[in-house]
Amino acid sequence: MMSEAQMKGRYREAVQLYTRNTRGSVLNGSPTIQWEADRLHFTYERQVREQEDVRTVTVRVDALSGETEELPSGRSGGSSSSNVPKDWSLSPGGGHALYTRAHNLILREMSSGEEKTLTDE
């Protein structure tokens, strides 16, 4: 039977191996959503792979239409708050929430429960 010290040592080795071999392989794992002051738009950062490189872009979303635009570097929206499940981001007015499901960004209208998938990963 393996001792606790041996098990911890193997765990540390596995974590280092995992990190070294998977860095750059997982993109857009947990986006941070920021609602803008107008309560109609939000932004989030996503990673884009370009051949061997990965760059981060800020995407702005119209919460009503679902239309998106990539913002120039340095621009982003306001702050997020939450009183819904901890992995959801609630809009400042409380009318909409964003969360991820199966690596996709989902917009939910709180009053009706209607959901719209905003990404297709």
Side-chain angles (χ1 to χ4, degrees), residues 9-57:
R10 284 192 176 182
Y11 177 80
R12 281 192 300 275
E13 290 172 9
V15 168
Q16 289 175 351
L17 181 65
Y18 174 77
T19 302
R20 182 173 57 247
N21 291 319
T22 60
R23 186 176 291 123
S25 298
V26 178
L27 302 179
N28 307 308
S30 298
T32 300
I33 292 129
Q34 297 182 328
W35 283 93
E36 295 182 3
D38 67 5
R39 300 179 178 173
L40 300 174
H41 298 88
F42 62 89
T43 59
Y44 67 96
E45 289 185 344
R46 76 174 283 153
Q47 296 170 313
V48 179
R49 185 178 303 282
E50 294 176 341
Q51 297 172 357
E52 296 296 317
D53 295 325
V54 175
R55 70 182 177 98
T56 300
V57 298

Side-chain angles (χ1 to χ4, degrees), residues 60-87:
R60 183 175 193 247
V61 180
D62 181 309
L64 299 176
S65 69
E67 293 180 13
T68 63
E69 68 174 306
E70 187 176 311
L71 297 179
S73 295
R75 279 190 61 201
S76 65
S79 61
S80 63
S81 63
S82 180
N83 59 4
V84 293
K86 69 177 185 174
D87 59 337

Side-chain angles (χ1 to χ4, degrees), residues 100-120:
T100 58
R101 181 189 317 134
H103 307 289
N104 289 303
L105 194 57
I106 309 295
L107 175 67
R108 179 185 179 100
E109 184 177 348
M110 298 304 287
S111 61
S112 68
E114 184 178 339
E115 296 181 345
K116 182 174 186 175
T117 302
L118 300 176
T119 59
D120 184 19

